[in-house]
Amino acid sequence: MPWSNQPGGGNGGPWGQGPRGSGPTPPDLEELLRRSQDRLKQILPGGGGRGIGGGGFSPLTIIIILVVVAAFLGYNFFTFRVQPDELGVVLRFGAYHRQAQPGLNFRLPYPIDIVYTPSVTRVNRVTVGQVGEDTGTAGLGRDIPEESLMLTGDENIVDIDFSVFWVINNAENFLFNMQDPEGTVKAVAESAMREVVGRSNIQPILTGARQTVEAAVQDLMQKTLDEYGAGVLIQQVQLQKVDPPAQVIDSFRDVQAARADLERAQNEAQTYANRVVPEARGRVAQITQAAEAYREQTVAEATGQTARFVKIYDEYRKAPDVTRQRMYLETMERLFGGTDKIILDTGMGQAGGVVPYLPLNELTRKPSPTAGGTR
């Protein structure tokens, strides 16, 4: 079956529309010859290109013309130039033949060799969720809800706009394994983001897990594109906007404010606990140490009294009467040592037959200086 009768055939050959890339357009031979003759007429003496005597071109002139034409055609048909940011891919009879490095390279004339020169150093960007001139900035550009609205693992909806930066790392695979490389990268990016978001809860995505989501999407995209043989290297996935849907964003902000108040109250309570608990523990330690000291003191005093009693008992066993008398005297001394005492001799009263009356209260009263002076 001819190519023109196959689906996607026609001028594109067996690849449909042909690989995406830039290559030199085959020159028109008649136009090149005409331009060459015009230039030779301007360069040769006489301006008309006539030989001596006006009899037509001389053999030398014809040779010069042929050499110039051959050199011009050889330069255009047998060479091509690859720019510093490009990589040449040479097809011979429609099949991959070789790669050409930047600079001047040789080839066979079209249609034997066909050259494509994709840019392999340029960083390309694909944006999902937004379209417009300002798609690289969060909040600018026109949103595309069918791309940006995604379902999370906890059955919430989140509005995500993100960009993917990629370069070509295999020109052959890039040209011949994908018909629409940019569309393929965008479709893989959206699919990978939906898969990662579908495994996550909404709260981490909206707060502190953005870098984790970006890294997971980048790894998943690279794995998928490598399976396709796309020849594309994903350099970065950058989240531009991560918000709840516009219909509930006000309620979500109220919830966030309530959670912030909750965290603040918890932090204040923790601060109070950090201040009160150490003080209480210090007081407990102080009371415990005082109780232990009192215990040690009481035990020591009891031990000392016990040892003293044992020693007294030992002496009592050796001389009971003497020890008893000594104990009695020591006890009486301890009891009456700090009191005022009046001692009466009862024998005097019995001998005289009359009990003397003594003003005992007056004996203990100290004489005043005034009474002593008048006397």
Side-chain angles (χ1 to χ4, degrees), residues 342-354:
I342 299 175
I343 301 174
L344 299 176
D345 188 0
T346 58
M348 292 178 61
Q350 294 178 359
V354 179

Side-chain angles (χ1 to χ4, degrees), residues 291-314:
E292 291 177 353
Y294 175 76
R295 181 191 63 184
E296 296 293 335
Q297 179 183 358
T298 303
V299 171
E301 291 178 355
T303 303
Q305 292 176 0
T306 302
R308 180 173 175 273
F309 179 81
V310 171
K311 290 182 180 181
I312 294 174
Y313 177 71
D314 292 339

Side-chain angles (χ1 to χ4, degrees), residues 162-184:
F162 65 100
S163 296
V164 177
F165 299 89
W166 57 277
V167 295
I168 301 173
N169 67 342
N170 189 313
E172 178 185 357
N173 292 341
F174 177 79
L175 291 173
F176 304 116
N177 289 350
M178 293 192 302
Q179 185 175 1
D180 183 10
E182 184 173 352
T184 302

Side-chain angles (χ1 to χ4, degrees), residues 175-332:
L175 291 173
F176 304 116
N177 289 350
M178 293 192 302
Q179 185 175 1
D180 183 10
E182 184 173 352
T184 302
V185 172
K186 183 174 183 178
V188 171
E190 183 178 351
S191 175
M193 181 62 73
R194 291 186 182 277
E195 180 175 347
V196 173
V197 171
R199 297 197 304 259
S200 307
N201 294 333
I202 186 172
Q203 190 61 33
I205 298 176
L206 295 173
T207 54
R210 301 181 64 143
Q211 294 182 351
T212 304
V213 171
E214 292 174 350
V217 173
Q218 180 177 351
D219 294 341
L220 184 58
M221 284 188 63
Q222 191 63 61
K223 180 180 179 181
T224 304
L225 292 172
D226 290 343
E227 292 177 355
Y228 292 167
V232 170
L233 174 64
I234 304 299
Q235 290 190 332
Q236 184 183 6
V237 175
Q238 188 178 77
L239 292 175
Q240 302 291 345
K241 183 187 71 173
V242 182
D243 290 326
Q247 295 83 353
V248 297
I249 191 169
D250 293 335
S251 300
F252 178 81
R253 287 174 179 172
D254 293 340
V255 173
Q256 292 297 101
R259 288 179 177 173
D261 294 339
L262 173 62
E263 293 180 359
R264 186 180 69 254
Q266 289 177 346
N267 293 334
E268 292 176 355
Q270 187 64 38
T271 302
Y272 176 76
N274 292 337
R275 184 180 70 253
V276 173
V277 171
E279 294 178 357
R281 289 176 178 173
R283 289 196 297 269
V284 169
Q286 182 180 3
I287 295 173
T288 302
Q289 292 176 359
E292 291 177 353
Y294 175 76
R295 181 191 63 184
E296 296 293 335
Q297 179 183 358
T298 303
V299 171
E301 291 178 355
T303 303
Q305 292 176 0
T306 302
R308 180 173 175 273
F309 179 81
V310 171
K311 290 182 180 181
I312 294 174
Y313 177 71
D314 292 339
E315 295 297 330
Y316 176 80
R317 291 175 59 188
K318 294 178 182 179
D321 295 335
V322 175
T323 304
R324 188 182 300 112
Q325 183 66 24
R326 179 182 175 185
M327 292 176 62
Y328 173 76
L329 294 176
E330 290 178 353
T331 302
M332 297 304 292

Side-chain angles (χ1 to χ4, degrees), residues 60-81:
L60 180 60
T61 302
I62 296 175
I63 293 175
I64 293 175
I65 293 174
L66 293 177
V67 170
V68 171
V69 171
F72 181 78
L73 294 178
Y75 179 80
N76 287 277
F77 280 91
F78 294 96
T79 62
F80 64 95
R81 183 175 298 276

Side-chain angles (χ1 to χ4, degrees), residues 24-35:
T25 304
D28 189 352
L29 297 180
E30 295 182 358
E31 182 67 18
L32 291 176
L33 290 176
R34 186 182 61 79
R35 292 181 180 179

